[in-house]
Amino acid sequence: MKKFVFIGLLAVTATVVGQEKGTVSGGFESNAQWYLNDKTLYDEYHNSTVHPEDPLRSNNYLFVNYKIKNWTFGIQGEAYEQQALLNYNPKYKDANVATYFAQFKNDKIDVTAGYFYEQFGSGLLLRTWEDRALGINNALRGLRFIYKPTKYFTLKTLFGQQRTGFDVSEGKIYGVDAELMLSDVFKFEKDELSFGLTYVGRDEKPTVVNPNYSSLTNSFAGRLNFVHDSFYISTEYDFKSKDAVVQVPTQIDNNLIKPGSALLLNLGYSKKGFGVDGTFRRLENMNFFSERSAGGNKYNNLIMNYLPSLTKQHHYNLANIYVYQAQPGVLITDVSLVKAGEIGGQLDVFYNFKKGTALGGKYGTKVALNYAEYHGLGGDYYLFSPQDYQTEFMGFGKKYFSDANIEITKKWSDRTQSGFSFINQYYDKKYLEGGKGIIYTNIAGAETTYKYSKNNSVRVQAEHMWANIDKKNWASLLTEFNFGTKYSLYVSDMYNYGNDDAKLRTHYYGIGNSYRYKSTRISLAYGRQRGGLVCVGGVCRNVPESTGLSLSLNTSF
């Protein structure tokens, strides 16, 4: 029945927009996978990979927007056939209308009814967004009103319930955000100065008997941004009122009621050829979900705020095996494993050696340095009678992760350019994954792109990882051919040759190609998927080991 409703609504939409005088836009995306049995791809228990029930699966998205004068109407349908791709939220199933909205917007007023996406400040209290690769769509269904009476003041108010599958959350979200451009008020000529205040409330009826917490959780934030010539600084502080802690997914702890807080500071200096940027962040008990029991779920389902890992986003494959994820939650299980958040940051420095200098050469040389380090919060943790903790605001506890790296980019000629990287990582697997041991890695990577004609090129990327424990050493090689802007082909292999277990010395091979025509792109690939985290912008999704054939289609109109 849902399929017929889905098809019917899309047909009605297409008919209406075709008859009216306005602008129609939209797109279609399909990501399909055919999972295959693989007798030589083993898990840690030496079980070979077996395809899941319904081995042929696809995630499909069709959206249509219609704009006429100050009005915009939109609808998105989704179909997951025969099921969603592995490790996507199980609530994504069958076919149905997923989101829809109507929006009126002019110079001063912006009103949206239906599903919408919004972010207050840096997103530490509220950010809704869609990322199909991660299986995230946490749009709010309700009403949003934005009022901008002058160019220097913006007021946002909203109410909604968060999307989960094709339904919405039990919890209700309220929000108010105000931003004032003080530099416009005081007519600064060179400097930019803005100030913002945020309120977000989550109201969910308690699901435990005799709750020790309120149904309404209130959160507040203030932020300040300043830019002067090449210098900039921004800061935000967030506070979340006392609420029940969720240490184990779906289990609300009625005896551990704690507030949460976050502090974010970013400052830097940038001019042509040189830049430095520093970020500091402290999170304490900052998991925030529209339903309390969703805390800690592995699908990022019903997540209200945006807490990406603030580390370098590496483009080398091996550097993303031991990838850091933000640690905002509380866990008090035993003396050797206690945490209530994270504290740390990263520093970026880049410098371009000018053309014609000794290090710059004929075409110049770019050097980028990055260092990131994160710890648990220092303080006192009490495991019994009852469980509790008291943190030190600037206390650095157990070290979780560090990443020190250098990247050099060098152009040798009009046809050839190379890049070199060296990365050193510290990864506490027990605290970050629940595994064992501290992993030290050194990763070396090099790549070269050669243009053998005006529109055609080949790129080769080689990597090696040295690791002290766990799966130990890896090697990786990727070759990519680009034929103009329309067609590309790649062949790759990641080999875990250093694994102590001979059966787990696996080749994760792959071959694929893509073709682009105007606004349409289609790709086909075959190979093995390494089990672990797949991350986009510092937010991750866990994927299983698999072998198969994948097909992707993306088009817009």
Side-chain angles (χ1 to χ4, degrees):
M1 182 63 184
K2 290 182 178 180
K3 296 180 182 179
F4 292 108
V5 172
F6 164 60
I7 295 171
L9 283 171
L10 291 180
V12 170
T13 301
T15 301
V16 171
V17 301
Q19 294 175 348
E20 297 292 334
K21 294 181 179 180
T23 302
V24 180
S25 62
F28 174 73
E29 180 177 337
S30 178
N31 299 302
Q33 182 88 28
W34 182 17
Y35 298 97
L36 302 172
N37 292 330
D38 191 336
K39 294 182 179 180
T40 60
L41 180 61
Y42 301 100
D43 64 16
E44 60 181 321
Y45 304 107
H46 291 181
N47 298 313
S48 59
T49 299
V50 179
H51 69 69
E53 180 185 0
D54 298 327
L56 185 58
R57 302 181 176 205
S58 65
N59 297 358
N60 306 277
Y61 313 87
L62 175 62
F63 67 94
V64 178
N65 292 339
Y66 173 59
K67 180 174 175 57
I68 181 170
K69 296 181 179 179
N70 296 108
W71 290 90
T72 303
F73 303 89
I75 185 171
Q76 176 166 302
E78 298 175 8
Y80 301 90
E81 299 295 343
Q82 298 178 9
Q83 296 187 45
L85 300 179
L86 289 180
N87 271 31
Y88 275 75
N89 189 339
K91 290 188 176 182
Y92 291 132
K93 57 183 179 180
D94 300 327
N96 209 330
V97 173
T99 61
Y100 49 83
F101 71 92
Q103 181 184 34
F104 175 84
K105 183 178 181 180
N106 61 24
D107 292 339
K108 293 186 176 181
I109 294 175
D110 182 346
V111 183
T112 303
Y115 286 88
F116 56 88
Y117 303 95
E118 185 55 76
Q119 176 172 325
F120 290 168
S122 64
L124 286 169
L125 290 183
L126 179 70
R127 186 196 184 198
T128 57
W129 79 102
E130 180 181 30
D131 192 309
R132 294 167 184 171
L134 298 177
I136 294 177
N137 189 325
N138 59 350
L140 289 172
R141 188 184 72 183
L143 183 67
R144 179 187 62 181
F145 178 73
I146 302 176
Y147 180 50
K148 194 170 184 178
T150 69
K151 67 177 183 178
Y152 54 79
F153 180 71
T154 303
L155 177 67
K156 300 178 181 180
T157 61
L158 60 82
F159 163 78
Q161 292 168 279
Q162 202 166 33
R163 181 186 172 186
T164 173
F166 291 116
D167 205 347
V168 291
S169 63
E170 292 293 329
K172 300 176 178 61
I173 311 302
Y174 307 87
V176 180
D177 184 83
E179 185 164 83
L180 182 64
M181 294 296 297
L182 294 172
S183 52
D184 288 339
V185 174
F186 297 109
K187 298 181 180 180
F188 295 162
E189 294 184 0
K190 296 183 179 180
D191 301 337
E192 294 182 15
L193 178 64
S194 65
F195 174 70
L197 292 172
T198 293
Y199 166 79
V200 176
R202 187 272 318 274
D203 190 12
E204 183 199 13
K205 183 178 179 181
T207 56
V208 300
V209 179
N210 300 320
N212 294 322
Y213 58 92
S214 171
S215 63
L216 179 62
T217 305
N218 297 301
S219 59
F220 308 88
R223 62 185 181 273
L224 187 68
N225 301 289
F226 175 69
V227 179
H228 174 72
D229 293 332
S230 299
F231 173 79
Y232 57 89
I233 181 170
S234 63
T235 185
E236 178 175 327
Y237 180 76
D238 304 74
F239 175 79
K240 181 163 64 84
S241 65
K242 287 185 177 181
D243 193 24
V245 171
V246 175
Q247 298 190 64
V248 179
T250 75
Q251 297 183 20
I252 296 173
D253 192 339
N254 193 38
N255 296 313
L256 186 58
I257 314 298
K258 303 292 286 188
S261 63
L263 174 64
L264 179 65
L265 175 65
N266 175 242
L267 70 161
Y269 176 84
S270 178
K271 67 176 184 178
K272 185 177 180 180
F274 172 75
V276 57
D277 181 272
T279 302
F280 170 83
R281 185 173 70 183
R282 181 189 188 276
L283 302 175
E284 179 178 342
N285 188 27
M286 275 302 291
N287 278 334
F288 208 6
F289 294 83
S290 52
E291 292 180 5
R292 292 178 180 86
S293 61
N297 78 86
K298 64 180 181 180
Y299 304 112
N300 290 310
N301 184 38
L302 296 173
I303 189 169
M304 290 172 53
N305 54 348
Y306 180 57
L307 303 174
S309 60
L310 297 181
T311 60
K312 186 175 179 66
Q313 307 301 303
H314 294 289
H315 68 279
Y316 285 96
N317 293 322
L318 300 184
N320 289 295
I321 292 179
Y322 300 111
V323 61
Y324 183 71
Q325 291 190 91
Q327 302 292 307
V330 175
L331 185 62
I332 308 176
T333 58
D334 59 55
V335 175
S336 64
L337 183 57
V338 291
K339 53 184 177 180
E342 71 171 24
I343 185 169
Q346 70 170 330
L347 179 68
D348 273 305
V349 180
F350 76 86
Y351 185 80
N352 295 342
F353 292 94
K354 294 181 180 180
K355 299 177 183 179
T357 61
L359 293 176
K362 183 178 178 181
Y363 296 94
T365 303
K366 299 179 180 179
V367 178
L369 299 169
N370 172 272
Y371 182 75
E373 182 170 325
Y374 286 89
H375 292 246
L377 297 179
D380 297 318
Y381 294 83
Y382 309 98
L383 275 66
F384 308 106
S385 302
Q387 282 190 340
D388 199 5
Y389 62 88
Q390 299 293 330
T391 62
E392 302 166 2
F393 188 77
M394 293 301 292
F396 284 72
K398 177 74 174 179
K399 182 178 177 180
Y400 291 162
F401 177 84
S402 68
D403 184 330
N405 56 83
I406 181 172
E407 186 173 302
I408 301 171
T409 304
K410 176 68 177 176
K411 186 175 181 181
W412 305 102
S413 69
D414 291 334
R415 292 179 175 237
T416 308
Q417 178 174 297
S418 298
F420 307 92
S421 289
F422 182 78
I423 304 161
N424 172 269
Q425 295 175 323
Y426 171 104
Y427 187 90
D428 191 324
K429 190 168 184 177
K430 179 176 182 179
Y431 271 77
L432 298 178
E433 291 185 28
K436 294 181 179 180
I438 295 174
I439 302 169
Y440 299 90
T441 70
N442 288 300
I443 303 164
E447 60 180 315
T448 294
T449 300
Y450 174 69
K451 285 188 175 183
Y452 54 89
S453 68
K454 182 179 179 180
N455 296 315
N456 301 325
S457 66
V458 58
R459 183 172 72 95
V460 178
Q461 179 175 292
E463 309 166 51
H464 188 274
M465 172 195 283
W466 296 265
N468 63 320
I469 59 171
D470 199 41
K471 297 181 179 181
K472 294 195 172 178
N473 294 359
W474 291 72
S476 175
L477 183 65
L478 165 71
T479 303
E480 179 182 84
F481 299 91
N482 294 292
F483 304 98
T485 58
K486 292 185 177 181
Y487 183 70
S488 66
L489 170 70
Y490 76 88
V491 179
S492 67
D493 186 28
M494 293 172 56
Y495 182 30
N496 185 202
Y497 76 91
N499 203 309
D500 289 337
D501 189 333
K503 272 202 168 186
L504 300 182
R505 294 172 188 165
T506 305
H507 283 276
Y508 293 94
Y509 53 79
I511 181 171
N513 65 120
S514 64
Y515 179 75
R516 184 184 298 275
Y517 178 72
K518 294 183 179 179
S519 60
T520 299
R521 182 181 183 275
I522 185 169
S523 64
L524 180 67
Y526 171 79
R528 287 173 167 171
Q529 169 69 60
R530 177 186 63 83
L533 296 175
V534 171
C535 305
V536 179
V539 180
C540 303
R541 178 176 74 91
N542 203 286
V543 298
E545 302 261 334
S546 64
T547 300
L549 186 69
S550 61
L551 175 66
S552 177
L553 172 65
N554 196 317
T555 187
S556 59
F557 54 86

